[in-house]
Amino acid sequence: MNGFGGPCTSNSACRCSPIGNTSKLYTANCSNLGITQVPITQPDVVILLLQHNITSLTTSFCPSLYILDLSYNRIQNFSDGAFANLTRLTTLNLEGNNLDLDKSVYRPNVFQDLKALRELNIKNCTSKDIYEFPQRIWGYLSSLQILRIDVISPTQFGRPFRLLTSLRELDVSGVTGFCSVGAMTKSFLINMPNLEIIDVSACNLRSFAADALITQRNLTILNISYNERLTFVSFENLSRSLASSKIKVLKANKIHCTFGIGTFLQVSDIIHFQNTTLEELYLDNNRLATLERNVPKILPPTLKIISGVQNRMTIGLYLLEFKFLLGLEKADGSHQFFTPSFQKAREAFLCQNPVSRCKNRNDDYSLKYEKIEEEFSVPHFDPEISFPRNFTHFILRGVGIRTALHNIHFKRDNKLAHLDLSQNPITSFTGPFEGLNQLKYWDLSDCKCPSLTTFFFDHTSSLKVLKLNKNFLGESLENDTDGETFKNLVNLEELDLSDNQIQNLPIKIFKNLRNIRSLNLKSNSMTQWNVKIHHLRNLAEIDLSRNLLRKLHGKAMLSFSELFKKKTSVTISLAYNPFACTCESKNFIHWSFQNRKYILDFQNITCTLDNGTSIGLQSAAGFLDVYCTNYQLVTFLVSSVIMFFVVITVTGLIYRYRWKLRYLYYMTRNKYRLSSPLQRDTFAFDAFISYAEEDGDFAVNESIAQLEDLRGLQLCLSKRDFQPGTEIAVNIAEAITKSRKTIIVLSDNFLNSYWCMFEFNMARMESIYTRNGKDVLFLIMYRHVSTKTLPLSMLALVESRSYIEYPDDPQGNIVFWDKIAETCSRPS
């Protein structure tokens, strides 16, 4: 490649690439480079692409070229010897240049060296003026098999075209170029009798002669689409013309205007098709509303594919006759009553098909329909839907089904494998559909359906692909906690539930999908994933992208991990979920990093920090290790300090109010709900004597003798009146509550006794919280006690002189006991 600026051409900007797995032959792509001269190529370059560049041909090409693409340049003429020595060239594309179809441009010897040329494209070049068509150039192209050319005159294919004995395909379509034929007559193609493929679409055809194609005995594919004024009126002559051909494919899309009344296909239109070997018939976008009875029967038994997309088909008796098309394999009736774009509305004024008297008069049609009704008796009606014996594909996308799909029966001998009911506003998938024993593909997507029963798929166990995306099945699936919806789909390999407003899926929803390979659940509203999938051994991909997952929980990660161990080729998509970069999601972040080879596009998945910043999952793993460690330490220290202060505070409060709490506890336990017989003074005892065991002789013997025997008081004494078997604290609380006064026999022994102090504090609480602040305590200074040893609460009583000292002399004792009796007696 020495001497060249690039690896295979003289222009370094050209892109060179090897053909196939070897590096012996190359393609040089010099398109869209703005170059004005044809680059010189090396001998190992066999394909040269020069679109959108040069304005003229002044340099000869390397003779090693097989394919030369000069389309969409600004070439206006050919220099002498422009294609000299291109004896190996098989394909020449001159489409989209300024090369008018005139003999002044296409001089007689321009193609003389193209002995091996098989395909020539000179379409979309003429400026559509009237030219003197070049006739003498074709004698050099005896090997030509495919010709793509504009039609400037219906007579341009004269006798010189008989020299193109190898020509098999003629493309004069006005879709990609210019074509104006008008009437299709026998003379138009008479000089090309060996054609197998003819494309005369968008050629402004208005009529078809009965013998127009009678010489085309090898014809297999004919495209007459986009000739809006041709109409079905031409079908009778067309079918007659094709009777002696080998026709396999007929494309007659949009041979009626876009707007107007509905069309009606009659038996007479297609009567001669029964003598053909037609296999594919396309009648899209023809305003076709109905068929005359027996039209399906007249169609040839060889017909395999029929398409009637974007028509206005209504339900009629003709539908029941399609079962007679024994060879039919596929029918496409999608997008009935399709509304064209507003931009095409102008066609309503520019294109109007004439209404044929014999075809579209309402009275004639009504008579025929009435006759059909008479001939079609009710007993022939079969409640089971029957298909042709070889029928496998049925497409009814966007036909306006606005009802629930209830129970439907199909004859069990059908072979239907592909059913498309997508883009229909179905109100409920109720079912079941019975008899579809060989159905493999079912498309129910984009139906906006809100309901799916658990028995809808009960009789479709053969399904391999099920598309339910773009519906509203979230609630139905969430309520199926036992996983009954897909229980019989044991052969299903692909399930699409994307865009279904799913918020949560039950654990068992996919329990029986043992052969599932692909699960698509993207574009839903799931906040968590708890579905069991580790048993799905054949699962290869699962898409959870574009949901509302902030993290995967432990069970979900464990389930995925088990699946990864069993099947290393499985992938999971988690992109476009609002994952959180928090310490709570730390385990998920680490899990995702460890299993990143199973997660699609892991490098571009992000999570969001508390401050709103987004970072990649890979960076988040290391960040959270540091952040969460410090965060946990700070949290522990702060929590410990708070707990310490709480404990101190609570302990202080408990200690401060310890006697109140004890009092409330025992009062509640004994069911004395802070109430007492104080209001009516109905106490059981006049006084409860609280004393230390060491002072018992005085507290018991003398108090009984002086207060009970001599002065008539009723005393409560622990040794005598406490109920055996009851807790001492309960007895004390009950004694204080039932006594008008509590007499404290104060001494050092009393201060050292736990139960004595308990009795004192309980009596004090009684005074404060039950007796409305009235004094309950009566203090007897039985033995002198130093004020230093007294508790503060008791010291307050002593300092307020709310006590009486025991005199221990005969005269003083009388006054002492009288004073006690006066204090404890019931008021008059």
Side-chain angles (χ1 to χ4, degrees):
M1 297 185 183
N2 295 329
F4 292 93
C8 62
T9 73
S10 59
N11 192 313
S12 60
C14 293
R15 299 173 296 278
C16 300
S17 57
I19 298 175
N21 297 324
T22 66
S23 58
K24 295 180 180 180
L25 302 177
Y26 287 86
T27 295
N29 188 347
C30 305
S31 304
N32 298 288
L33 297 179
I35 60 180
T36 58
Q37 298 293 325
V38 175
I40 301 174
T41 58
Q42 286 205 348
D44 51 5
V45 174
V46 295
I47 300 176
L48 178 58
L49 308 179
L50 272 170
Q51 303 100 309
H52 301 281
N53 280 300
I54 60 178
T55 57
S56 62
L57 294 177
T58 58
T59 305
S60 59
F61 297 92
C62 181
S64 62
L65 290 178
Y66 282 85
I67 298 175
L68 176 59
D69 191 343
L70 296 169
S71 60
Y72 295 96
N73 286 290
R74 290 166 291 171
I75 304 172
Q76 297 182 359
N77 214 323
F78 299 110
S79 60
D80 292 335
F83 303 114
N85 301 319
L86 290 179
T87 57
R88 300 180 184 178
L89 194 69
T90 60
T91 302
L92 175 60
N93 190 351
L94 295 168
E95 182 180 1
N97 282 284
N98 299 325
L99 297 166
D100 294 328
L101 278 173
D102 187 83
K103 67 178 185 178
S104 64
V105 175
Y106 290 90
R107 293 186 293 276
N109 298 328
V110 67
F111 295 144
Q112 68 176 353
D113 289 336
L114 304 182
K115 305 296 184 182
L117 193 66
R118 294 186 179 91
E119 181 176 352
L120 174 63
N121 187 347
I122 52 176
K123 295 192 69 173
N124 203 25
C125 292
T126 179
S127 58
K128 306 178 185 60
D129 293 329
I130 298 176
Y131 301 100
E132 188 174 352
F133 187 78
Q135 298 286 353
R136 298 173 60 186
I137 62 175
W138 308 107
Y140 299 104
L141 301 177
S142 58
S143 298
L144 193 65
Q145 298 177 2
I146 301 173
L147 175 60
R148 308 187 192 280
I149 188 172
D150 294 329
V151 173
I152 60 175
S153 169
T155 62
Q156 71 185 37
F157 300 119
R159 292 188 62 82
F161 279 86
R162 288 183 176 272
L163 301 173
L164 303 180
T165 56
S166 300
L167 192 62
R168 297 293 181 267
E169 179 178 347
L170 177 65
D171 177 2
V172 295
S173 173
V175 176
T176 55
F178 173 74
C179 181
S180 180
V181 177
M184 178 66 76
T185 64
K186 181 180 179 180
S187 62
F188 181 65
L189 299 173
I190 194 171
N191 294 311
M192 294 179 282
N194 299 317
L195 291 176
E196 297 175 1
I197 302 173
I198 300 175
D199 188 348
V200 288
S201 59
C203 281
N204 197 27
L205 281 174
R206 296 171 182 266
S207 63
F208 224 102
D211 58 354
L213 301 173
I214 198 168
T215 60
Q216 305 298 326
R217 298 183 180 275
N218 295 322
L219 183 63
T220 58
I221 300 176
L222 174 62
N223 189 352
I224 60 171
S225 303
Y226 304 106
N227 291 293
E228 290 91 340
R229 303 181 192 279
L230 195 58
T231 75
F232 289 138
V233 175
S234 64
F235 261 39
E236 184 174 356
N237 283 344
L238 174 64
S239 60
R240 187 190 302 272
S241 182
L242 292 172
S244 59
S245 71
K246 298 178 181 178
I247 189 69
K248 301 293 183 185
V249 180
L250 174 60
K251 295 182 179 181
N253 302 324
K254 204 175 187 301
I255 60 172
H256 280 268
C257 298
T258 302
F259 298 90
I261 64 173
T263 57
F264 176 43
L265 190 62
Q266 297 186 122
V267 170
S268 60
D269 296 332
I270 53 102
I271 187 67
H272 299 290
F273 277 124
Q274 63 182 342
N275 300 319
T276 68
T277 56
L278 189 65
E279 295 181 359
E280 299 180 24
L281 177 59
Y282 299 89
L283 301 173
D284 302 344
N285 201 3
N286 279 310
R287 303 202 314 259
L288 189 59
T290 188
L291 309 179
E292 185 180 13
R293 190 181 179 194
N294 292 324
V295 163
K297 292 182 179 180
I298 295 299
L299 290 171
T302 55
L303 192 64
K304 296 180 180 180
I305 299 174
I306 186 167
S307 177
V309 177
Q310 291 186 12
N311 280 292
R312 303 180 182 183
M313 299 299 294
T314 56
I315 295 177
L317 299 176
Y318 67 90
L319 291 174
L320 302 178
E321 296 181 339
F322 274 94
K323 64 182 179 182
F324 296 110
L325 291 172
L326 301 182
L328 192 64
E329 298 176 0
K330 178 180 179 180
D332 190 348
S334 300
H335 302 298
Q336 299 303 309
F337 298 94
F338 175 78
T339 302
S341 65
F342 181 76
Q343 294 177 346
K344 293 185 178 181
R346 62 191 301 268
E347 291 185 23
F349 304 98
L350 300 178
C351 181
Q352 286 289 340
N353 298 134
V355 179
S356 172
R357 179 180 179 83
C358 65
K359 292 180 178 293
N360 292 302
R361 281 184 58 189
N362 292 333
D363 53 351
D364 290 347
Y365 179 75
S366 298
L367 289 173
K368 290 181 179 180
Y369 190 76
E370 290 174 3
K371 185 177 180 182
I372 290 173
E373 284 185 325
E374 291 175 2
E375 295 177 358
F376 191 86
S377 56
V378 175
H380 292 162
F381 180 74
D382 194 337
E384 290 186 320
I385 297 177
S386 180
F387 291 129
R389 62 189 180 193
N390 295 319
F391 194 65
T392 58
H393 285 64
F394 197 15
I395 304 173
L396 291 173
R397 184 185 304 116
V399 296
I401 300 175
R402 299 176 182 273
T403 184
L405 294 183
H406 292 291
N407 181 238
I408 301 177
H409 296 261
F410 298 87
K411 282 194 173 181
R412 293 187 175 274
D413 60 351
N414 74 83
K415 297 180 181 179
L416 190 66
H418 182 114
L419 179 58
D420 188 344
L421 297 175
S422 61
Q423 298 179 25
N424 288 290
I426 298 170
T427 57
S428 175
F429 297 140
T430 305
F433 277 28
E434 299 182 43
L436 298 179
N437 302 316
Q438 298 189 47
L439 191 65
K440 301 293 191 296
Y441 179 100
W442 198 351
D443 192 344
L444 292 165
S445 63
D446 201 11
C447 292
K448 307 299 186 289
C449 182
S451 176
L452 172 64
T453 64
T454 57
F455 49 84
F456 186 73
F457 300 111
D458 279 2
H459 301 281
T460 54
S461 59
S462 59
L463 268 179
K464 291 185 179 294
V465 178
L466 176 58
K467 293 184 176 296
L468 288 167
N469 50 299
K470 294 186 179 180
N471 284 290
F472 304 131
L473 303 179
E475 185 174 354
S476 294
L477 294 174
E478 289 174 26
N479 293 333
D480 182 16
T481 55
D482 294 326
E484 296 294 303
T485 302
F486 308 118
K487 62 180 179 296
N488 288 332
L489 303 183
V490 293
N491 294 304
L492 195 67
E493 296 179 358
E494 180 181 338
L495 176 60
D496 191 344
L497 289 170
S498 61
D499 201 0
N500 260 289
Q501 297 186 354
I502 300 172
Q503 296 182 1
N504 185 36
L505 282 176
I507 295 176
K508 301 178 182 178
I509 191 67
F510 303 135
K511 65 179 182 181
N512 285 355
L513 302 184
R514 55 175 177 260
N515 284 310
I516 196 72
R517 294 179 53 81
S518 174
L519 276 174
N520 190 346
L521 290 153
K522 70 178 181 181
S523 300
N524 282 293
S525 303
M526 291 186 292
T527 57
Q528 58 181 346
W529 175 259
N530 296 317
V531 182
K532 287 185 177 180
I533 58 169
H534 61 272
H535 63 290
L536 306 179
R537 297 182 179 274
N538 294 320
L539 188 63
E541 59 182 28
I542 178 170
D543 193 342
L544 297 176
S545 62
R546 299 184 185 278
N547 276 277
L548 300 177
L549 299 172
R550 291 180 61 80
K551 67 175 182 178
L552 291 182
H553 295 279
K555 290 184 178 179
M557 291 187 289
L558 181 61
S559 182
F560 278 119
S561 296
E562 292 180 4
L563 185 65
F564 296 156
K565 292 178 182 177
K566 297 174 183 176
K567 191 174 179 66
T568 57
S569 60
V570 68
T571 60
I572 177 175
S573 179
L574 295 171
Y576 302 104
N577 276 287
F579 292 125
C581 294
T582 63
C583 295
E584 292 181 356
S585 61
K586 178 182 174 182
N587 290 339
F588 161 68
I589 302 294
H590 275 281
W591 175 87
S592 63
F593 180 73
Q594 293 168 359
N595 295 280
R596 59 189 180 278
K597 67 178 181 179
Y598 303 106
I599 301 176
L600 292 177
D601 202 20
F602 174 79
Q603 300 296 333
N604 295 321
I605 300 178
T606 61
C607 60
T608 306
L609 298 170
D610 291 336
N611 61 6
T613 304
S614 294
I615 59 175
L617 290 186
Q618 184 170 353
S619 302
F623 171 80
L624 290 178
D625 281 340
V626 177
Y627 174 77
C628 292
T629 301
N630 296 334
Y631 177 79
Q632 291 171 352
L633 178 60
V634 172
T635 302
F636 173 76
L637 294 176
V638 172
S639 300
S640 299
V641 172
I642 293 174
M643 185 61 66
F644 174 76
F645 282 106
V646 168
V647 170
I648 293 299
T649 303
V650 171
T651 303
L653 291 173
I654 292 175
Y655 180 78
R656 179 176 179 180
Y657 296 102
R658 62 191 183 284
W659 290 110
K660 177 180 179 180
L661 294 174
R662 283 187 176 185
Y663 174 76
L664 292 175
Y665 168 74
Y666 288 110
M667 290 300 101
T668 302
R669 183 171 176 180
N670 289 326
K671 300 182 181 179
Y672 295 101
R673 310 279 183 182
L674 298 180
S675 62
S676 71
L678 179 62
Q679 298 296 330
R680 293 177 294 170
D681 199 9
T682 56
F683 295 101
F685 304 100
D686 293 306
F688 167 59
I689 308 298
S690 178
Y691 60 93
E693 190 68 28
E694 293 81 358
D695 303 326
D697 183 60
F698 165 78
V700 176
N701 296 333
E702 288 196 39
S703 62
I704 291 175
Q706 294 293 333
L707 297 176
E708 282 193 343
D709 297 341
L710 295 178
R711 294 172 175 79
L713 298 182
Q714 182 65 41
L715 301 178
C716 179
L717 299 167
S718 58
K719 285 189 176 183
R720 183 186 69 183
D721 298 308
F722 278 13
Q723 185 176 351
T726 303
E727 292 182 28
I728 185 170
V730 174
N731 275 318
I732 291 171
E734 185 174 354
I736 292 172
T737 303
K738 291 183 177 181
S739 301
R740 187 175 293 108
K741 294 286 184 178
T742 296
I743 298 175
I744 302 299
V745 180
L746 188 59
S747 65
D748 288 330
N749 295 325
F750 185 95
L751 295 176
N752 294 327
S753 171
Y754 171 80
W755 288 112
C756 287
M757 293 304 297
F758 181 85
E759 291 169 347
F760 166 75
N761 282 291
M762 292 298 286
R764 188 167 61 88
M765 294 299 107
E766 174 79 5
S767 174
I768 296 172
Y769 296 108
T770 304
R771 306 289 178 91
N772 299 325
K774 293 184 178 182
D775 195 8
V776 173
L777 286 165
F778 187 85
L779 211 62
I780 297 176
M781 191 71 75
Y782 178 62
R783 294 284 186 264
H784 181 72
V785 178
S786 172
T787 56
K788 294 181 180 181
T789 61
L790 292 176
L792 293 176
S793 55
M794 191 175 290
L795 182 62
L797 289 174
V798 173
E799 290 180 348
S800 62
R801 304 190 65 81
S802 297
Y803 69 95
I804 184 172
E805 292 187 8
Y806 179 60
D808 198 17
D809 65 80
Q811 189 62 34
N813 286 350
I814 296 174
V815 176
F816 172 79
W817 292 113
D818 286 342
K819 185 64 176 176
I820 294 174
E822 180 183 352
T823 303
C824 296
S825 298
R826 179 178 180 179
S828 57

